Amino acid sequence: MFFLGVLIHGILLRRVAASVTPTDGQWAQLNQTIGGRLYTSLPLAASCFSTVNGLPSTPNATECTLVQQGYTQPDFRFAHYSAHMMPQWETCQSTVQRCLLNSNDPSDPAAWEDNECWQGAIAPYYIDVRSEDDVLEAISFINETGVQFSIKASGHDYKGRSSFGSLSLWMRNLDSLSYSANFTPEGGNATYPAITVGAGTPFEDVYSFAEENNITVIGGYHQTIAASGGWVQAGGHSILSPIYGLGVDRVLQYKIVTLDGVSRTVNEFQDPDLFWALRGGAASTFGVVLESSMLVEPQMSLRVASISFNQTADNARGFLELLVNNSYKWGQEGWGGHMGPATLINVNPLLTLEEAQASVQPIVDYALAQNGTAVVEDLPSWQTFFAKYVESAEASVGVQTILGSRLIPTDPFFTDDDGKEALVDLMVKMVDTYAVNPYIIQGTPFLYNYTEGTTSVTPAWRSSLWQIGFHENMAYNATLDTMYAQYEIVNNITSWMRELAPNSGAYFNEANPYEPDHEVAFWGDNYPALLELKNKYDPFKLLDCWMCVGWQGPADERYSCYLNISSNY
Ligand SMILES: Cc1cc2nc3c(=O)[nH]c(=O)nc-3n(C[C@H](O)[C@H](O)[C@H](O)COP(=O)(O)OP(=O)(O)OC[C@H]3O[C@@H](n4cnc5c(N)ncnc54)[C@H](O)[C@@H]3O)c2cc1C
């Protein structure tokens, strides 16, 4: 089964011929070495069904009711290993084997009366990781057995990268938080105000902690994204990024266990090549991150503009034109935010309230003329903004959702009349053709003073003003044909965006899961160097994920649950 063993750092590294299922004895041994925290998994809603994985099962009404109540709640999903925010990644899409409830009405009994429950893509074994030693033991086991494994923090991934293989490392309970006004990266002298965040800590905890410490952490627009997981390793945009940079710009240090079983503290002084790779090369590629330390800002007050009105066939274009025409000026003034054809929630830490009101007056007038609502106000901190606006506006979970997106270059789409018109036309076409609304994020590092070469994300981030994304929701019981048809819509819209700006790129975390030419789209010129580092730090390719650096490709058996969607990989 195995050949070629190499002894490095005390761990026998082996090149594995094919994927391997460990024996019961090996699993039992692993369980013992990690203090009994190896578990077998079942799908989140298994307790509702009378047939589970092909065998008769007795439903548990109490547990099933709890699952129904929490089904679309981020915190509930976050707390359960088997749950992912986009439940199609719990399923085997290619065989339509799943165990889902109706996300429109989780108490709908048709979900469990008309269907069987299947394991889908959820790894059958998982380790509830509580310490660095757990990760070291896991890596040693993976090296010995060659078992295919994945890493899960929050399950927010839009590409299913945290749910496959036979073994999963569940990082959720590695949830530490500390703040130092004088943090010094190991090996350096300079000090920075920084927080250090464990691999499983969600942003909602980070923001509360920041509020208690009178600081601001630049982070994501959802309560349960893991701050030190996929977000900070692949880019990490925030609506404060226009001024303060992306997550990868602000990270000062990672602690990581690489696939050779070595625990490393990585920063600009120690393993600088790996530090660069982790600043954008994406998660689940170079090792298991235990924590990251990120630069923080003092607590800051924010000017907030919140606008909405009822969208009609007649009023969306006018609003989109206003957004496109004003966004360059707003970018220069320091605004960031989330916008759509009839909504906007933007923040600004630089302007006074009066300046902010004047800045957004054209869209306030437009919304009020549509009998909509418009508020421009001052809030004392990010946490107060987040609690008031984001928790009710953030993207929903528990619904099978496909995401597509591309980065939209500043020039010519916000600087030239023809460019602006082409951009508005594209967004109107999305709405008119597929009734799909653009989800616009002004979260690129537009004003941020970037030091060239310090991160490995696609350089397109630095020359773009917007990311345009969109959501396509699939019913919990969608047929295979319907799923293919819905992915086709996503492919069509992203191809329009690609035609509009062929030399731009896409944010790895939020791109179409079937983005063609993904190496260029996600990393641009940085890809060759990233691939070299992948080969250096994971020579036996123990860690792999969909469209990640060094990806083994769609034919690898790990990806048998993905759909066979044509692309040019
Ligand atoms: C509702 C929603 C809102 C979002 N909002 C934003 C936003 O505002 N800004 C933004 O930039 N992005 C946003 N995203 C995208 C988000 O950043 C990505 O989905 C990200 O990958 C989530 O990382 P996670 O670790 O929380 O999720 P997971 O699904 O647990 O993991 C994502 C990837 O990271 C890997 N990973 C996780 N932990 C580790 C670790 N400790 N070591 C190594 N690899 C690890 C996983 O294996 C997987 O490949 C959003 C996503 C959703 C679903």
Side-chain angles (χ1 to χ4, degrees), residues 151 153-157 161-162 221 226 230-231 237 283-284 289 507 510:
I151 307 165
S154 72
H156 265 257
D157 200 65
R161 291 175 299 146
S162 43
Y221 206 74
W231 184 85
H237 64 70
S284 201
V289 166
Y507 175 27
E510 298 190 327

Side-chain angles (χ1 to χ4, degrees), residues 120-446:
I122 303 160
Y125 289 90
Y126 70 96
I127 297 173
D128 177 4
V129 173
R130 302 274 171 155
S131 67
E132 179 181 64
D133 281 349
D134 289 350
V135 176
L136 289 167
E137 291 294 349
I139 298 291
S140 172
F141 179 79
I142 288 158
N143 269 286
E144 272 170 41
T145 61
V147 66
Q148 290 186 338
F149 80 109
S150 53
I151 307 165
K152 180 189 176 209
S154 72
H156 265 257
D157 200 65
Y158 278 113
K159 295 197 180 81
R161 291 175 299 146
S162 43
S163 61
F164 60 81
S166 302
L167 174 66
S168 173
L169 273 54
W170 188 36
M171 310 303 288
R172 191 266 169 270
N173 290 312
L174 216 54
D175 61 350
S176 54
L177 266 171
S178 64
Y179 167 60
S180 167
N182 301 299
F183 176 81
T184 312
E186 269 186 40
N189 298 316
T191 63
Y192 306 86
I195 52 159
T196 297
V197 184
T201 312
F203 268 121
E204 60 190 351
D205 291 358
V206 172
Y207 296 151
S208 304
F209 179 79
E211 182 85 354
E212 285 160 22
N213 287 279
N214 294 320
I215 53 174
T216 305
V217 175
I218 310 304
Y221 206 74
H222 197 278
Q223 60 198 94
T224 49
I225 300 169
S228 290
W231 184 85
V232 74
Q233 295 173 61
H237 64 70
S238 161
I239 58 174
L240 292 174
S241 293
I243 300 168
Y244 301 102
L246 298 168
V248 290
D249 292 323
R250 304 181 59 81
V251 68
L252 298 166
Q253 180 167 288
Y254 295 96
K255 286 205 171 152
I256 182 171
V257 177
T258 41
L259 282 309
D260 49 8
V262 179
S263 189
R264 300 165 193 266
T265 300
V266 174
N267 56 38
E268 64 175 305
F269 310 103
Q270 298 179 172
D271 293 320
D273 57 352
L274 182 55
F275 184 51
W276 176 81
L278 288 167
R279 298 175 84 179
S284 201
T285 302
F286 300 99
V288 183
V289 166
L290 303 172
E291 64 180 36
S292 71
S293 301
M294 303 176 219
L295 186 65
V296 300
E297 300 295 324
Q299 192 168 96
M300 60 182 80
S301 65
L302 295 170
R303 262 52 63 207
V304 181
S306 170
I307 284 168
S308 71
F309 55 90
N310 282 334
Q311 182 177 343
T312 67
D314 297 327
N315 65 17
R317 186 176 183 105
F319 193 65
L320 290 169
E321 280 173 352
L322 280 173
L323 298 184
V324 171
N325 287 330
N326 282 283
S327 277
Y328 189 81
K329 176 177 92 80
W330 289 338
Q332 289 175 316
E333 291 170 343
W335 288 99
H338 288 207
M339 302 172 270
T343 56
L344 173 146
I345 299 178
N346 283 9
V347 298
N348 191 313
L350 302 183
L351 299 180
T352 64
L353 184 59
E354 292 69 31
E355 289 166 341
Q357 281 162 338
S359 171
V360 296
Q361 197 59 46
I363 47 170
V364 168
D365 292 343
Y366 192 89
L368 296 180
Q370 314 302 317
N371 294 321
T373 57
V375 176
V376 185
E377 65 172 329
D378 211 348
L379 289 177
S381 65
W382 172 262
Q383 167 67 10
T384 47
F385 161 72
F386 193 81
K388 181 165 181 184
Y389 285 100
V390 182
E391 287 176 12
S392 54
E394 63 190 8
S396 45
V397 304
V399 185
Q400 300 201 93
T401 303
I402 317 168
L403 192 74
S405 75
R406 294 277 296 181
L407 293 161
I408 306 298
T410 307
D411 189 15
F413 300 107
F414 300 93
T415 54
D416 170 276
D417 286 346
D418 289 345
K420 290 179 190 173
E421 194 179 347
L423 182 56
V424 173
D425 286 347
L426 168 98
M427 294 189 286
V428 170
K429 189 172 167 188
M430 290 166 68
V431 179
D432 288 351
T433 313
Y434 292 122
V436 165
N437 275 341
Y439 188 77
I440 301 161
I441 300 179
Q442 187 142 345
T444 61
F446 184 66

Side-chain angles (χ1 to χ4, degrees), residues 11 13 22 115 149 224 297 336 364 517 542 551 557:
I11 287 190
L13 299 186
N115 298 288
F149 80 109
T224 49
E297 300 295 324
V364 168
D517 208 4
L542 294 175
W551 183 39
E557 68 180 285

Side-chain angles (χ1 to χ4, degrees), residues 34-57:
I34 55 166
R37 284 191 306 284
L38 176 71
Y39 297 96
T40 53
S41 72
L42 279 178
L44 179 70
S47 57
C48 301
F49 289 76
S50 56
T51 304
V52 175
N53 291 331
L55 298 172
S57 179

